[in-house]
Amino acid sequence: MASSAQNIHSGATSAPPPTPSTQPNNNLFSTTSSAAAADALSRLLHRLPPALSLPSRRLASPPAKCPPSISLSGDTILDDLLSSSSQLGFFQFTGHSVPPQLASSAESEALAILNLAREQKESCFPKNWPLGYEAEEDEEGDGQGEFLCLDSACSAESTELAVSSVSELTRELERVGLRIVEMLSGSVGFENPFGNNPERLCSYMWISEDLPGKKAMNSGGFYPYVVGLQYQIRSRKYSLMADSGWVSVLPQIDSVMVTIGDIAQVWSNGKLKKVRGRPIACSGEGMNNTRSISMTVLITLPLDSTVSPLLPKDCTKTNNTNCGHNHNKDEECEEEEEKRLFNSFSFEDYAWRVYHERFPIKDPLDRYRIK
């Protein structure tokens, strides 16, 4: 008995056998299983479609910048105009003669038109590309937005519609735009293709309304133009697709937001930057119930036009005083002809293609660039 008690209470007894969880082989098995499970989970997450991917932290959008301001009465207007157009492709124009009351009245008339039933809008403004009324739908068949393209006279099938202010605003902005084209052509060094011939140009008033929560970048069509003009009735943020990428701008109230178009870039042989399409109005936080309407005048070309760089006249190294270069009449011109960066193309073909692509991801002018 004494021996038995001694064996029970003494420390000479051996330790109990290890449990399965402490066995070395089981440790290895547990580690291997965890790694395999992690790899399987990683493969599964990478195979998830974008709609089911884990949410990422939302980055704040860059703050809107005030576009360069150019005044018609400024002393350096030509230098400022050339700088903004050749570096950015957009600016805000002040010191113009467009009355703010006219812009407000035109907006009221445009809203009244958009408030009409769809059948009325289609009958009053039948589709005659690019003119007329059009309603857009997304892939699910829901309303994407609607827009209305009017000629410079704002013609309508019904004489009962009030469009006098819209028509007058179109003419006022057209005059501002033609003045800008004239100054740009002189600054860049090409002949003003419009001159005093009204048959060489077309002016369209583009009225669009984007529905809340829809893709605004596709709304309202994409039509080629020389310059685009929007009168700023209120403080409003816009997104522009410039050559440098997306830019957010906040123009001043009562200024005219001016964008340089793709046709002007070809005319200048690449010296001018451009904005693709029209400025896109941005809806702010908590403004889902606010109507968003844009009124843009596009100064563009007739459909039968041919677009090509407007280079200075050729020099033949003779006493040619009409070559456009700076030399005396008795001196031979040693300047070489400017290298052409774009091939000529049909405006109608180009306009039809980019219009039906809506908002092409790739620059549509790339196919005409000379490599």
Side-chain angles (χ1 to χ4, degrees):
M1 292 294 294
S3 175
S4 299
Q6 194 176 27
N7 288 338
I8 294 174
H9 297 286
S10 68
T13 57
S14 59
T19 61
S21 62
T22 60
Q23 291 285 356
N25 289 340
N26 283 324
N27 279 336
L28 178 62
F29 176 78
S30 176
T31 303
T32 304
S33 300
S34 299
D39 291 342
L41 179 61
S42 177
R43 289 193 298 269
L44 176 62
L45 292 176
H46 280 85
R47 293 173 61 184
L48 287 176
L52 298 179
S53 60
L54 295 179
S56 59
R57 186 176 181 181
R58 185 175 182 180
L59 299 178
S61 59
K65 299 180 180 179
C66 184
S69 183
I70 298 177
S71 176
L72 188 60
S73 58
D75 296 332
T76 61
I77 180 173
L78 293 180
D79 293 338
D80 295 340
L81 182 66
L82 180 59
S83 175
S84 299
S85 301
S86 60
Q87 297 179 22
L88 300 174
F90 59 88
F91 54 89
Q92 58 183 356
F93 203 61
T94 61
H96 52 77
S97 59
V98 182
Q101 299 83 0
L102 174 61
S104 298
S105 179
E107 183 185 58
S108 298
E109 290 182 353
L111 283 171
I113 293 174
L114 293 178
N115 283 335
L116 296 174
R118 179 169 178 172
E119 293 76 13
Q120 290 179 281
K121 288 178 282 193
E122 290 175 341
S123 62
C124 293
F125 304 98
K127 193 64 180 174
N128 182 22
W129 183 80
L131 299 173
Y133 168 79
E134 183 168 332
E136 297 181 323
E137 295 182 351
D138 56 20
E139 296 179 355
E140 289 76 21
D142 298 327
Q144 175 72 21
E146 58 181 350
F147 63 91
L148 182 65
C149 181
L150 304 175
D151 57 22
S152 58
C154 298
S155 305
E157 295 294 326
S158 174
T159 58
E160 298 180 358
L161 289 178
V163 293
S164 58
S165 295
V166 176
S167 178
E168 186 177 353
L169 178 63
T170 303
R171 292 192 298 268
E172 289 290 336
L173 291 177
E174 180 187 278
R175 280 193 282 267
V176 174
L178 291 178
R179 177 71 182 277
I180 291 173
V181 172
E182 181 182 2
M183 291 186 293
L184 274 178
S185 60
S187 300
V188 177
F190 61 86
E191 182 180 356
N192 184 358
F194 294 143
N196 296 320
N197 188 352
E199 295 182 357
R200 297 180 180 177
L201 68 94
C202 287
S203 294
Y204 296 140
M205 167 61 83
W206 220 281
I207 303 171
S208 63
E209 181 176 15
D210 303 320
L211 299 181
K214 298 299 179 179
K215 298 178 180 179
M217 72 169 57
N218 294 327
S219 179
F222 174 32
Y223 196 81
Y225 63 93
V226 182
V227 293
L229 306 99
Q230 286 186 355
Y231 187 93
Q232 302 305 305
I233 299 177
R234 59 187 61 85
S235 180
R236 198 175 187 187
K237 180 180 176 181
Y238 292 91
S239 290
L240 310 178
M241 183 55 173
D243 282 337
S244 59
W246 285 104
V247 181
S248 295
V249 296
L250 185 62
Q252 299 175 3
I253 297 177
D254 294 334
S255 68
V256 175
M257 180 72 184
V258 180
T259 54
I260 307 300
D262 41 1
I263 303 304
Q265 186 173 63
V266 176
W267 279 355
S268 68
N269 202 32
K271 295 184 180 70
L272 300 178
K273 299 295 184 181
K274 70 175 181 299
V275 170
R276 291 164 57 186
R278 294 169 290 107
I280 300 171
C282 302
S283 298
E285 297 291 336
M287 296 179 62
N288 293 334
N289 295 325
T290 302
R291 300 186 69 180
S292 176
I293 182 173
S294 297
M295 301 180 67
T296 308
V297 169
L298 299 182
I299 296 182
T300 184
L301 303 176
L303 289 176
D304 59 355
S305 303
T306 299
V307 183
S308 60
L310 301 179
L311 303 176
K313 296 180 180 180
D314 296 345
C315 290
T316 57
K317 296 205 173 194
T318 59
N319 296 339
N320 183 1
T321 60
N322 296 320
C323 64
H325 295 147
N326 185 21
H327 61 80
N328 297 326
K329 64 179 181 178
D330 296 329
E331 295 177 350
E332 291 184 354
C333 183
E334 300 295 337
E335 299 187 43
E336 297 181 357
E337 182 181 359
E338 185 178 343
K339 183 180 179 180
R340 185 184 296 267
L341 300 183
F342 294 93
N343 289 311
S344 300
F345 55 88
S346 164
F347 177 78
E348 182 174 9
D349 292 344
Y350 174 70
W352 179 266
R353 181 170 58 85
V354 298
Y355 179 91
H356 289 88
E357 286 181 3
R358 286 302 183 222
F359 203 96
I361 298 176
K362 185 178 179 181
D363 187 348
L365 285 180
D366 284 349
R367 66 166 53 192
Y368 305 109
R369 296 182 189 274
I370 300 177
K371 307 299 183 182

